[in-house]
């Protein structure tokens, strides 16, 4: 429950996911939120509130995709570098993973830092 904030409303209490858990969930469940382009659009705003100290809430592939989006798509190098350092300190092993699940990785470039096979260009929608 440390990643859940409780907000009192007139009808009782409302549980709200913290920004870090929301970011992880958006990447982990990309096929349910409209894809990584939509995820990157939301992450652009959410990145202002992220603290990279959230290592235990997801697997290495999710963090790799999140790190790639923050670093290479959104230009949030400081947060991405913190996440990368935490992954290393936590002993997480990075293997090559596709950026977009269920899409061909033929001829996809592999990002050296995040070991993400970039199998689709991510464009951020203007909000």
């Amino acid at each position: 429950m440390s990643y859940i904030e409780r907000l009192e409303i007139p009808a009782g209490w409302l549980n709200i996911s913290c920004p870090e858990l929301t970011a992880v969930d958006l990447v982990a469940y990309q096929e349910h939120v409209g894809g990584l382009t939509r995820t990157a659009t939301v992450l652009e705003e959410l990145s202002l509130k992220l603290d990279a100290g959230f290592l235990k809430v997801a697997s290495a592939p999710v963090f790799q995709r999140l790190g790639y989006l923050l670093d290479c798509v959104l230009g949030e190098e400081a947060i991405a570098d913190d996440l990368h350092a935490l992954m290393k300190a936590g002993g997480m092993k990075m293997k090559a993973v596709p950026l977009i699940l269920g899409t061909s990785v033929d001829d996809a470039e592999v990002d050296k830092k995040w070991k993400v096979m970039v199998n689709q260009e991510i464009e951020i929608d203007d909000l």
Side-chain angles (χ1 to χ4, degrees):
M1 286 298 283
S2 63
Y3 299 109
I4 305 294
E5 299 171 15
R6 291 183 55 107
L7 178 65
E8 188 173 6
I9 60 172
W13 292 93
L14 185 63
N15 291 332
I16 301 172
S17 174
C18 69
E20 295 80 16
L21 187 57
T22 300
V24 166
D25 285 344
L26 287 169
V27 174
Y29 301 107
Q30 58 182 275
E31 66 277 3
H32 299 290
V33 298
L36 278 185
T37 296
R38 183 165 290 159
T39 295
T41 301
V42 175
L43 279 176
E44 184 176 31
E45 292 288 322
L46 198 57
S47 67
L48 302 172
K49 298 181 180 186
L50 291 180
D51 174 13
F54 51 101
L55 187 61
K56 297 181 182 180
V57 297
S59 62
V62 172
F63 282 128
Q64 287 173 247
R65 291 181 188 103
L66 178 58
Y68 174 81
L69 289 173
L70 290 169
D71 197 2
C72 302
V73 176
L74 301 175
E76 296 289 341
E77 292 92 6
I79 297 169
D81 288 345
D82 288 347
L83 178 59
H84 196 266
L86 282 171
M87 289 177 70
K88 280 189 169 188
M92 285 190 155
K93 304 289 183 203
M94 289 194 279
K95 297 179 181 176
V97 297
L99 179 60
I100 306 293
L101 300 172
T103 303
S104 173
V105 292
D106 295 342
D107 302 322
E109 287 187 35
V110 178
D111 181 79
K112 291 183 186 342
K113 179 178 181 180
W114 294 103
K115 295 191 179 7
V116 170
M117 294 179 274
V118 183
N119 55 351
Q120 182 177 326
E121 187 71 27
I122 303 295
E123 295 182 18
I124 302 166
D125 297 331
D126 291 328
L127 295 177

